[in-house]
Amino acid sequence: MRSFRYINSRVIPLDRANVDTDAIIPKQFLKSIKRSGFGVYLFDEWRYLDRGEPDMDCTHRPRNPDFVLNKPAAYRARILLTRENFGCGSSREHAPWALEDYGFRVLIAPSFADIFYNNCFKNGILPIVLDSATVDHLFQEAAGIGYQIEVDLPSQTITTKFGEKIHFEIEPTRKHRLLNGLDDIGLTLQRAEDISAYEARRKKEAPWLFSDVA
């Protein structure tokens, strides 16, 4: 998993509440478990005017000109600003996979669905919860083309285009994991030597547990 410390990027304002995981990545794309290749299908039903299918070449698909990701100012933006209860619906981990594969590293909203929120941290995405009034304020500022902010995880601050500082909360363990690029497997591998020592000890104490099954 990629580590995260800070990012300075344009903001994509997705002014919709209760965006569910089927909107983020529709169900027909759930056949793959590779974690990559989902970015082109992110928000597929809103982004394109035809129906997307797995392994479809999206290069020449007709795009919805009114959808925010299709605006010129959205190019290479890494921060998504949205409304409450983002990521609701089914618990599919493909949703953060698609967001990360597209390029988003930060999500800002008044609230997130619990499972989706946890899955973001496991996939190198920083979901920031801010109160509704602050989110409203950011939406007003992000209405301008090319609105840009800086997100600094070590100091837990957002610096707006106009120099305003906004503090956000994050649980210390999750912060540590993002700063060091540790998903569940990476966190476990930090104790690889201890695990190997335990297995060697157990093999001496109870060798019958390690016998080959005939």
Side-chain angles (χ1 to χ4, degrees):
M1 184 178 87
R2 288 188 295 165
S3 61
F4 181 94
R5 297 192 68 82
Y6 71 92
I7 194 167
N8 193 312
S9 169
R10 282 175 294 193
V11 176
I12 299 296
L14 182 64
D15 198 359
R16 304 191 190 205
N18 303 309
V19 174
D20 64 32
T21 52
D22 192 55
I24 297 171
I25 184 73
K27 57 186 178 298
Q28 65 266 30
F29 300 109
L30 306 188
K31 297 176 182 179
S32 174
I33 56 171
K34 294 186 299 184
R35 292 196 180 198
S36 61
F38 294 102
V40 291
Y41 307 119
L42 178 67
F43 299 121
D44 195 86
E45 293 180 2
W46 297 341
R47 195 169 162 191
Y48 303 100
L49 298 176
D50 61 350
R51 176 183 167 82
E53 295 294 345
D55 300 320
M56 177 182 284
D57 182 358
C58 297
T59 307
H60 301 295
R61 291 178 64 191
R63 298 181 180 240
N64 176 3
D66 296 322
F67 185 58
V68 65
L69 283 193
N70 294 329
K71 303 291 185 182
Y75 180 66
R76 296 184 67 83
R78 299 294 177 255
I79 301 171
L80 181 68
L81 175 68
T82 187
R83 297 293 186 178
E84 62 271 8
N85 202 28
F86 187 81
C88 58
S90 74
S91 59
R92 65 191 69 170
E93 196 169 357
H94 295 70
W97 291 355
L99 287 159
E100 195 277 337
D101 191 62
Y102 177 85
F104 285 120
R105 300 301 311 277
V106 176
L107 311 176
I108 301 173
S111 61
F112 297 92
D114 287 344
I115 295 176
F116 173 83
Y117 182 76
N118 291 328
N119 282 339
C120 283
F121 288 105
K122 295 178 180 180
N123 289 280
I125 297 173
L126 172 61
I128 297 175
V129 176
L130 300 176
D131 62 83
S132 295
T134 302
V135 171
D136 285 342
H137 174 64
L138 289 174
F139 265 104
Q140 291 171 9
E141 292 194 343
I145 296 176
Y147 181 71
Q148 194 158 325
I149 63 175
E150 180 180 274
V151 177
D152 187 317
L153 179 56
S155 67
Q156 296 177 213
T157 57
I158 295 170
T159 304
T160 71
K161 181 179 180 179
F162 305 104
E164 178 185 4
K165 297 279 188 181
I166 301 170
H167 180 78
F168 61 88
E169 298 293 335
I170 181 173
E171 196 272 326
T173 300
R174 287 173 169 156
K175 180 178 180 179
H176 170 77
R177 291 177 64 164
L178 275 179
L179 287 172
N180 293 280
L182 297 171
D183 57 13
D184 289 346
I185 295 174
L187 198 65
T188 302
L189 288 176
Q190 286 190 312
R191 307 299 297 272
E193 291 185 5
D194 293 336
I195 293 169
S196 296
Y198 171 80
E199 290 178 340
R201 186 174 70 252
R202 283 295 289 162
K203 193 168 185 178
K204 291 180 180 179
E205 295 170 348
W208 60 88
L209 295 177
F210 297 84
S211 301
D212 292 335
V213 178

